[in-house]
């Protein structure tokens, strides 16, 4: 079983739509969670961290359910510029100061005019 | 800061040749990571360094792959001999232990094609 699993999509949605992505992780000891965004033929970039209480950043809302080992990302009022691949990322904490991230395979989003 | 700098951006080589990928992390970052990305397997961590010391190389596919970090501002990933299945995008990323967790900065990647 993969450490981080995502629905690969693709999700094709009209401009202005609300879209949600889900992700599950297998390591219950995981401590930190993130969403990264990767544009076509570009490098991944940090979109937002995911906190236990849920958090918002503009049109983006991230939620974490530790009991179910489940992370979600909601995008409201989607824009053409939101078209990208969204990567679910988990920090596999271990002893000391290790900061090793495990990336999901990504969910591809295309926002259509 | 110029960010994480990788070179070359593209590399096409013949099977059996040696390939060397280069990375300059962000100044002051004490962690450096090498990732490989393919359509089939996504982003895979190959190896990472902390203060120039290799910490975990369990992701390195086989002995044909080696990585070094001779100083805080430079790292190399070498493949010798290269094979067609090594074709992928190789990313270098760096982060700081004093920065936010998850705050990796990736380079633009090296797109490697082995023919």
């Amino acid at each position: 079983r993969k450490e981080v699993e995502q629905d690969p999509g693709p999700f094709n949605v009209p401009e202005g739509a609300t879209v949600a992505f889900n992700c599950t992780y297998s390591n219950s000891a995981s401590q930190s969670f993130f969403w990264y965004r990767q544009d076509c033929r570009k490098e991944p970039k940090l979109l937002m961290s995911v906190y236990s209480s849920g958090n918002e950043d503009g049109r983006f809302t991230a939620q974490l359910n530790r009991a179910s080992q489940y992370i979600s990302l909601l995008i409201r009022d989607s824009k053409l510029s939101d078209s990208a691949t969204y990567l679910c990322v988990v920090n596999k904490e271990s002893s000391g100061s290790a900061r090793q991230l495990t990336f999901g395979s990504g969910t591809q989003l295309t926002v259509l005019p | 800061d110029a960010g994480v700098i990788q070179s070359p951006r593209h590399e096409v080589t013949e099977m059996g040749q040696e390939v060397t990928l280069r990375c300059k992390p962000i100044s002051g970052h004490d962690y450096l990571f090498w990732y490989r990305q393919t359509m089939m397997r996504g982003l895979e961590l190959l190896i990472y360094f902390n203060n120039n010391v290799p910490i975990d190389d369990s992701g390195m596919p086989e002995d044909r792959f080696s990585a070094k970090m001779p100083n805080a501002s430079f790292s190399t990933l070498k493949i010798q001999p290269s094979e067609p299945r090594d074709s992928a995008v190789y990313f270098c990323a760096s982060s700081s232990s004093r920065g936010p967790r998850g705050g990796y900065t990736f380079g633009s990647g090296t797109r490697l094609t082995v023919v």
Side-chain angles (χ1 to χ4, degrees):
Chain A
R1 181 186 172 189
K2 288 183 180 179
E3 290 187 57
V4 181
E5 297 214 49
Q6 294 182 250
D7 179 347
F11 284 63
N12 297 318
V13 302
E15 228 177 334
T18 295
V19 61
F21 306 135
N22 303 318
C23 165
T24 57
Y25 61 95
S26 60
N27 185 352
S28 59
S30 299
Q31 297 294 320
S32 307
F33 310 90
F34 312 91
W35 285 99
Y36 273 66
R37 170 192 169 130
Q38 186 172 22
D39 292 294
C40 187
R41 301 182 77 85
K42 298 285 191 180
E43 70 274 20
K45 293 184 179 179
L46 177 64
L47 177 67
M48 60 193 300
S49 301
V50 186
Y51 302 120
S52 297
S53 54
N55 49 294
E56 273 191 27
D57 184 359
R59 298 181 292 108
F60 298 82
T61 300
Q63 300 222 314
L64 167 66
N65 183 324
R66 285 188 186 271
S68 303
Q69 295 179 207
Y70 172 93
I71 305 161
S72 66
L73 177 68
L74 183 79
I75 305 175
R76 293 183 301 278
D77 187 24
S78 53
K79 312 289 185 191
L80 297 177
S81 57
D82 294 334
S83 297
T85 297
Y86 290 83
L87 303 167
C88 177
V89 184
V90 173
N91 188 341
K92 184 167 69 175
E93 295 278 15
S94 58
S95 61
S97 60
R99 296 162 65 87
Q100 184 174 332
L101 297 185
T102 301
F103 286 75
S105 298
T107 299
Q108 185 180 341
L109 170 67
T110 301
V111 180
L112 304 169
Chain B
D1 200 318
V4 176
I5 300 172
Q6 289 187 247
S7 64
R9 290 294 303 273
H10 301 273
E11 177 81 33
V12 180
T13 191
E14 290 185 347
M15 183 173 62
Q17 296 297 306
E18 178 180 295
V19 176
T20 299
L21 312 181
R22 296 173 175 79
C23 175
K24 177 178 166 51
I26 290 175
S27 177
H29 279 192
D30 51 350
Y31 282 87
L32 183 141
F33 306 84
W34 281 101
Y35 282 86
R36 176 173 70 174
Q37 187 173 40
T38 61
M39 288 293 293
M40 290 297 295
R41 301 173 69 92
L43 264 170
E44 301 174 280
L45 178 65
L46 301 178
I47 184 172
Y48 78 94
F49 297 82
N50 179 218
N51 292 321
N52 315 338
V53 176
I55 302 300
D56 185 351
D57 65 354
S58 59
M60 296 285 261
E62 46 199 273
D63 292 345
R64 298 184 297 106
F65 285 69
S66 62
K68 294 182 179 179
M69 191 164 186
N71 56 63
S73 58
F74 184 66
S75 177
T76 59
L77 178 68
K78 186 174 292 187
I79 308 172
Q80 166 63 18
S82 57
E83 297 182 4
R85 61 192 166 120
D86 301 331
S87 297
V89 181
Y90 290 80
F91 287 105
C92 175
S94 70
S95 73
S96 169
S97 56
R98 294 174 300 280
R101 291 185 181 278
Y104 283 21
T105 301
F106 282 81
S108 301
T110 294
R111 187 171 297 272
L112 174 66
T113 303
V114 183
V115 298

